Amino acid sequence: MDWITKDNKLVKEFKFKDFSEAFAFLTRIALAAEKQDHHPEIFNVYNKVTISLQTHDAGDIVTEKDHKLAKAIDALL
């Protein structure tokens, strides 16, 4: 699945073999997000991770900041 725009957010669901793989991915996302000082909304259930991105200080809309983090997240796979 590619990133989609839904409710003024960039959203993508990722699926992994198991919880450990999903959690390792979440850890890599945390490090990338901290480097960019841009923190996603993350939802995790077992092997599924759903990421939502929007720029709060721009009025809760999708900005270049979100696209940049989305690209960095995709590179973590």
Side-chain angles (χ1 to χ4, degrees):
M1 173 181 157
D2 289 327
W3 291 91
I4 61 168
T5 303
K6 180 179 178 183
D7 300 326
N8 289 325
K9 298 177 183 180
L10 274 184
V11 180
K12 186 170 182 178
E13 183 177 281
F14 300 85
K15 203 169 191 183
F16 298 91
K17 181 181 78 174
D18 55 28
F19 178 75
S20 293
E21 280 192 12
F23 199 85
F25 180 63
L26 290 171
T27 302
R28 294 190 302 272
I29 290 172
L31 295 172
E34 196 64 21
K35 271 187 179 179
Q36 292 188 24
D37 193 29
H38 190 47
H39 305 95
E41 177 179 289
I42 299 171
F43 185 73
N44 168 240
V45 176
Y46 184 58
N47 69 333
K48 293 179 188 170
V49 175
T50 304
I51 305 293
S52 298
L53 301 169
Q54 68 180 176
T55 304
H56 302 293
D57 58 0
D60 294 330
I61 61 170
V62 175
T63 68
E64 183 56 36
K65 199 172 184 179
D66 303 299
H67 288 283
K68 182 179 176 189
L69 184 54
K71 186 176 179 180
I73 290 170
D74 283 341
L76 297 173
L77 293 173

